[in-house]
Amino acid sequence: MDSWNYEVFWKEMLNQIKNSISKEEFSMWFNNISYCSSEENTLVLSVPSNFFMDQIKQRYLPLIKETIGELSGDKINISFTVVKKDIKEESSKQKISQTEEIKKHPDLREDYSFKNFVVGENNSFALNAALAISNNPGKSYNPFLIYGGVGLGKTHLLQAIGHAVYENSASKKKIVFLTAESFTNEFVTSLLKKNPHTFKNKYRSVDLLLIDDIHFFQNTDRVQEELFHTFNALYGAKKQMVFTCDRPVSELKNITDRMKNRFEMGLKVELLVPDFETRLAILKNKVASLNITIADDIFELIAKNITSNVRDMESALTKLVAYAELVNKKITKDIAQKQLIDIFTTTKQGNISIDIIQKKVAEYFNLSHIDLRGKKRTKAIVFPRQIGMYIARELTEYSTTEIGSDFGGKDHATVIYAIQKIEGSLKSDPSMEAVINNIIRTIKEHSSK
Ligand code: ADP
Ligand code: MG
């Protein structure tokens, strides 16, 4: 008997939810769920992946249940079924909808949108903050600062905000995206050409200012002065500013205190390294837009071997796709392993942890692990500790900030100093290289088991 059909409730629920969450969120999540079937007291929805299903359950299941409950006056269960979309069909659909869609902002990369940003534990706070800001620019958190290591999605998220605000304002808002480096160059040029007013007017009249990589402002006194006034003008006019930085602002050197205060006075969020599941989801998401099938074990191979930088994972994927196209072969795990061995060994990652590095360095110098990672400053410990930091930088993707915190809570400048010192010794003392290579070998042996 087909006495229950909950599709009408589902449709009505979509109408209601559309009004209660942002357009971006709605299209990211609800455009990818479809009605599947109705069973007794159960509404079955289809979703594109397990990952997506988990996310939906976490974020929206209570809202969905409540809304359906209110509409139907009944307690209806919600269940999900994963239906993988046909990739070809999907990508042609995307193309059509993109050409029909609103104009894209010329300075922003089309693929750096919220839609293409995969959420995981490492970035959900940052993503939600970015969504909130896109809905209410200038109103809630101003400025918004995203910081974190290389290749973790800072630029992507920054541009996604740009896309969303641009679309929400029907292309009317003046949105400027640029790197701190371009800002600096443009300012210097405006001084040389003796038209600093044009520069001032341009940046003080925008609705949304997105500046990428503000660590570049270190040691640029006059630019900081100009930025300070730009900041105040925009802040006063309640115009949203978003910045990204590769380290916490407190660790920037040669940035004036007043500028540091301003960078930090709104909301700051750190992007962390994605976990294995998220790395897999990011890879699968990238491939979904290409017209190619890659087996699950190959995704896993990449996600296992490249652990701390999304950009490196993408390079691995690009290399495989290029190989498959050129030799016109299906990629097997064997081929992938052979093709990617270089990337896996040179992208300074793998299973090597700082902990193992410390243990092996301590062993080599007959020190205790605790002393090596502790705060003692005797000469017998300081030098091996510097070697440890140097090796950590060579073999892992950890930032100098992260390395410092694992070596007795040192700041990143101490780590940089240690690295320079060891690089110096390597040049002047031929036995150093042998010592370091020896330690590195034991670390690699341990980590490849
Ligand atoms: P950063 O600016 O932090 O160095 P990017 O924003 O340039 O890093 O990101 C590097 C690459 O990784 C980009 O191609 C970006 O699209 C991708 N990436 C990073 N995080 C994610 C994510 N959560 N979902 C999808 N792609 C991501
Ligand atoms: Mg970047």
Side-chain angles (χ1 to χ4, degrees), residues 150 308-309 312 347-349 392-393 395-399 402:
V150 175
S308 51
N309 180 329
D312 287 345
T347 53
K348 304 181 174 181
Q349 31 55 46
R393 190 61 180 163
L395 296 187
T396 74
E397 273 297 333
Y398 290 105
S399 66
E402 288 162 321

Side-chain angles (χ1 to χ4, degrees), residues 405-439:
S405 85
D406 274 359
F407 277 89
K410 304 278 187 298
D411 65 15
H412 91 113
T414 309
V415 180
I416 289 174
Y417 173 78
I419 293 168
Q420 284 168 350
K421 179 122 187 279
I422 300 302
E423 281 169 353
S425 316
L426 275 169
K427 281 189 196 125
S428 59
D429 174 358
S431 65
M432 268 303 279
E433 191 175 334
V435 170
I436 289 183
N437 285 344
N438 206 326
I439 301 173

Side-chain angles (χ1 to χ4, degrees), residues 17-155:
I17 288 191
K18 212 176 224 163
N19 298 324
S20 67
I21 65 176
S22 75
K23 207 168 119 192
E24 276 296 324
E25 259 177 288
F26 187 85
S27 73
M28 180 154 70
W29 299 109
F30 288 90
N31 282 351
N32 289 304
I33 310 177
S34 42
Y35 170 83
C36 175
S37 61
S38 303
E39 291 159 17
E40 187 171 7
N41 290 327
T42 304
L43 165 65
V44 186
L45 299 172
S46 61
V47 288
S49 70
N50 283 319
F51 179 81
F52 190 96
M53 178 173 72
D54 292 342
Q55 294 293 321
I56 281 288
K57 282 185 182 165
Q58 265 177 33
R59 291 161 167 257
Y60 299 109
L61 194 55
L63 177 66
I64 295 176
K65 275 191 169 160
E66 193 190 310
T67 317
I68 297 263
E70 273 167 16
L71 288 169
S72 65
D74 238 341
K75 194 173 169 295
I76 296 175
N77 298 315
I78 310 291
S79 83
F80 294 93
T81 167
V82 175
V83 179
K84 296 226 160 69
K85 286 192 182 161
D86 178 349
I87 291 170
K88 272 188 194 162
E89 188 193 320
E90 170 70 359
S91 61
S92 61
K93 240 198 279 173
Q94 262 181 7
K95 274 192 202 113
I96 294 166
S97 68
Q98 272 163 8
T99 47
E100 283 172 352
E101 259 176 24
I102 326 149
K103 269 201 319 239
K104 295 279 186 248
H105 191 286
D107 299 345
L108 302 172
R109 263 186 67 155
E110 197 161 328
D111 53 338
Y112 283 2
S113 62
F114 282 126
K115 206 172 86 202
N116 289 337
F117 194 81
V118 174
V119 61
E121 255 179 56
N122 62 309
N123 61 27
S124 65
F125 180 32
L127 172 64
N128 285 321
L131 285 165
I133 282 159
S134 307
N135 289 323
N136 257 324
K139 300 267 162 40
S140 30
Y141 313 105
N142 203 13
F144 177 39
L145 172 73
I146 306 165
Y147 68 96
V150 175
L152 295 182
K154 299 184 296 294
T155 302

